Amino acid sequence: MRYTLRQLEAFVAIARNENVSRAAEALSLSQSATSNALAELENQFDQRLFDRHGRRLKLNEQGRLLLPRAVELLDRAQEIEALLSGERGLGSLKVGATLTVGNYLVPLIAANFLQRHPESRVQLQVHNTATIVGLVARYEIDIGLVEGAVSDPEVEVAPWVEDELVVFCAPSHPLAKHKTASLAELADEHWILRERGSGTRETLEQALRRAKHGMTVRLELEHTEAVKRAVESGLGIGCISRLALRDAFRRGSLVPLETPELDLERCFQFAWHKGKYHTAAIRTFLEECRAMTAGAHRSHEIRLPFVP
């Protein structure tokens, strides 16, 4: 072959980082070695793979065609290396998850996965949907578990389990005694919401647009638990997954408000790059995910440990 795995590693790292120095750091190589590896690959085939914009390197059409094939080849090469080294585990896995999934489901799934495959390693990143989709699109993680809509043409999704958002308030809130809230009543309230870019915020805003109604946002927070604490303190009403509120509803520290005029259903999804090779680790992790939710129509029906 006229190319080497090191050349492909340099190409993939530069594609992910769009910068030679950051790619070199990721590969633990010198900047000159990384730059030379890319130059050798391009010169051997007389093909430019990037458009240069100062220090930024952006994939051109030829580079975009090569990237998924190069990533797959490197993934397969790692499997071969592990096999020849006598390793019997599934190897490492980089997982990204949105906050509801990442806080309430993935730790338990990862624990089951690692108990069955103790030689493996799992790296988990928890961000909002927009960030996770970006990591998937740049091949920075192997698989994403998201709760929001995905519109990136390079990212493929598959349904996992249904989820439902629910509007909620503190037990002392005036709406708590009614248990049901109309759109007119919701419009008069102050809302405590997740930040823009989160799947939860997107689902609620879409539901309100369909109902031709608006809301007054008093506070935006990046974490689901922070939203719950702010609502508990009486700052306003919130809307997050019923899964995240299940224990709070059992304790009575928060109260659900039924909103028959709003469609707050959505779906947790798996997301991966269309060109991503599914290693044994990815396939097994997906099996663990589906096993956890087997028999549950919606996420809050999943059997999870009770938090007192």
Side-chain angles (χ1 to χ4, degrees):
M1 291 185 184
R2 294 167 58 192
Y3 62 86
T4 67
L5 293 179
R6 177 52 57 86
Q7 290 171 346
L8 293 181
E9 283 180 329
F11 162 71
V12 170
I14 293 170
R16 287 171 173 167
N17 292 277
E18 297 186 343
N19 178 277
V20 173
S21 60
R22 290 197 298 269
E25 184 178 350
L27 294 171
S28 299
L29 293 174
S30 68
Q31 185 170 336
S32 60
T34 305
S35 181
N36 288 340
L38 175 62
E40 290 169 359
L41 181 62
E42 291 183 322
N43 292 336
Q44 281 174 328
F45 296 94
D46 193 24
Q47 291 275 3
R48 298 280 79 84
L49 302 172
F50 294 91
D51 294 324
R52 272 71 172 176
H53 304 281
R55 293 188 176 183
R56 186 180 180 189
L57 283 76
K58 193 78 172 175
L59 283 172
N60 59 22
E61 184 60 30
Q62 188 70 14
R64 284 191 290 272
L65 290 173
L66 175 61
L67 182 59
R69 294 168 173 82
V71 172
E72 177 177 350
L73 181 57
L74 292 173
D75 286 343
R76 290 181 180 272
Q78 288 177 350
E79 287 186 327
I80 292 172
E81 183 176 8
L83 180 64
L84 292 175
S85 299
E87 298 178 13
R88 292 296 179 264
L90 297 176
S92 62
L93 186 65
K94 295 179 180 179
V95 178
T98 45
L99 267 74
T100 303
V101 179
N103 287 334
Y104 296 94
L105 298 181
V106 176
L108 296 173
I109 295 169
N112 291 336
F113 177 84
L114 292 172
Q115 286 172 359
R116 291 183 172 86
H117 309 282
E119 308 90 349
S120 301
R121 297 291 182 269
V122 175
Q123 298 178 32
L124 173 63
Q125 296 189 52
V126 179
H127 301 286
N128 63 30
T129 297
T131 301
I132 295 300
V133 171
L135 293 173
V136 169
R138 296 190 297 273
Y139 288 101
E140 293 183 28
I141 57 176
D142 297 309
I143 186 170
L145 287 72
V146 300
E147 54 207 74
V150 176
S151 58
D152 192 308
E154 296 299 315
V155 177
E156 183 176 347
V157 297
W160 180 16
V161 64
E162 296 295 320
D163 183 54
E164 178 191 16
L165 300 186
V166 59
V167 178
F168 64 101
C169 65
S172 58
H173 193 283
L175 289 176
K177 60 184 177 182
H178 300 302
K179 297 184 179 180
T180 300
S182 67
L183 287 175
E185 289 174 318
L186 295 178
D188 291 334
E189 297 297 328
H190 290 125
W191 289 81
I192 313 299
L193 298 179
R194 287 283 311 282
E195 80 289 358
R196 293 187 182 277
S198 72
T200 298
R201 176 72 172 267
E202 180 185 37
T203 300
L204 175 60
E205 289 182 338
Q206 286 181 347
L208 288 169
R209 280 196 295 269
R210 286 193 293 267
K212 298 180 181 179
H213 229 276
M215 59 182 167
T216 302
V217 180
R218 187 178 193 183
L219 182 62
E220 294 185 357
L221 297 166
E222 293 186 355
H223 296 283
T224 301
E225 291 301 311
V227 173
K228 291 163 63 176
R229 299 290 87 79
V231 173
E232 282 179 349
S233 70
L235 287 178
I237 64 174
C239 181
I240 58 177
S241 171
R242 193 179 289 273
L243 169 66
L245 291 160
R246 187 165 61 173
D247 291 333
F249 289 164
R250 287 170 179 166
R251 293 191 300 265
S253 58
L254 291 169
V255 176
L257 296 174
E258 299 307 319
T259 53
E261 296 172 273
L262 292 180
D263 179 8
L264 296 175
E265 295 185 358
R266 62 179 182 179
C267 182
F268 291 161
Q269 302 177 98
F270 303 118
W272 53 77
H273 197 288
K274 286 184 176 179
K276 181 65 179 176
Y277 166 62
H278 280 207
T279 63
I282 293 175
R283 295 194 300 271
T284 304
F285 190 83
L286 289 173
E287 290 171 2
E288 292 285 350
C289 292
R290 293 186 173 106
M292 166 167 275
T293 58
H297 176 62
R298 289 182 176 166
S299 65
H300 64 276
E301 299 170 354
I302 301 169
R303 298 178 64 86
L304 297 175
F306 173 66
V307 179

